[in-house]
């Protein structure tokens, strides 16, 4: 069976599924999936080097904001 965000198990009722992939150097970019919706990825062109953050409403699951913080350049 397929589970949300490609996870190996289903989440309990009233819980959100999520998966965060950090990436690998410049070869594979990071991605954030939340409740079977990809919030950030190289395909969406909204990621960058450093910290990639998605702010999600914990009650509704609605995406509020995404941001990238470049920790390399200061």
């Amino acid at each position: 069976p397929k589970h949300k965000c490609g996870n190996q198990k289903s989440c309990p009722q009233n819980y959100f599924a999520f998966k965060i992939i950090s990436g690998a150097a410049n070869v594979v970019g990071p991605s954030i999936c939340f409740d079977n919706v990809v919030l950030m990825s190289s395909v969406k062109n909204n990621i960058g080097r450093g910290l990639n953050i998605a702010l999600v409403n914990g009650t509704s699951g609605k995406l509020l904001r995404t941001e990238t913080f470049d920790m390399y350049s200061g």
Side-chain angles (χ1 to χ4, degrees):
K2 286 191 135 195
H3 303 289
K4 290 182 178 180
C5 292
N7 289 326
Q8 293 180 354
K9 294 181 178 181
S10 291
C11 291
Q13 190 172 355
N14 299 323
Y15 283 78
F16 292 112
F18 70 93
K19 188 172 193 175
I20 299 172
I21 299 172
S22 66
N26 292 335
V27 180
V28 178
S31 68
I32 299 174
C33 176
F34 184 82
D35 208 33
N36 225 28
V37 175
V38 177
L39 303 179
M40 299 183 81
S41 71
S42 56
V43 173
K44 295 180 83 82
N45 199 27
N46 64 349
I47 58 166
R49 70 179 181 188
L51 298 174
N52 293 278
I53 298 174
L55 179 62
V56 177
N57 181 306
T59 303
S60 68
K62 180 181 175 191
L63 176 65
L64 302 174
R65 182 176 175 183
T66 61
E67 194 67 52
T68 299
F69 298 96
D70 188 344
M71 303 299 285
Y72 182 76
S73 67

